Amino acid sequence: MKDKKNFGKYIAEKRKELGLTQEELASKLYVIPTTISKWERGITYPDITVITNLCKELNISEHEFFIA
């Protein structure tokens, strides 16, 4: 993973490519929308427990996730 800011931009880009709002992605991952916002603004990284599902929802591999 790169720094949090670039990682956040990557997550936001992938979400927007799929036409998902932060609220929709949060609902699919059983987190609150503020969590998605924090990831995308580079404040925090996703918790390890959501990585597999996040990758599925964003149509990326876990490998791609970790090199983003």
Side-chain angles (χ1 to χ4, degrees):
M1 265 185 245
K2 297 180 184 175
D3 64 80
K4 287 180 186 173
K5 291 281 185 196
N6 285 330
F7 177 79
K9 288 178 186 176
Y10 176 77
I11 294 295
E13 178 182 299
K14 290 295 181 181
R15 175 183 59 77
K16 290 174 185 176
E17 283 176 8
L18 295 169
L20 293 172
T21 65
Q22 288 182 345
E23 292 79 12
E24 290 167 333
L25 182 58
S27 176
K28 291 173 181 269
L29 298 175
Y30 303 103
V31 297
I32 59 174
T34 310
T35 301
I36 306 296
S37 175
K38 286 180 181 180
W39 297 344
E40 292 183 359
R41 290 183 291 141
I43 295 172
T44 61
Y45 285 121
D47 185 88
I48 194 163
T49 60
V50 301
I51 291 173
T52 299
N53 288 335
L54 176 59
C55 290
K56 286 179 186 174
E57 293 301 331
L58 297 179
N59 295 324
I60 60 172
S61 68
E62 290 184 22
H63 175 75
E64 187 177 351
F65 173 87
F66 284 107
I67 63 168

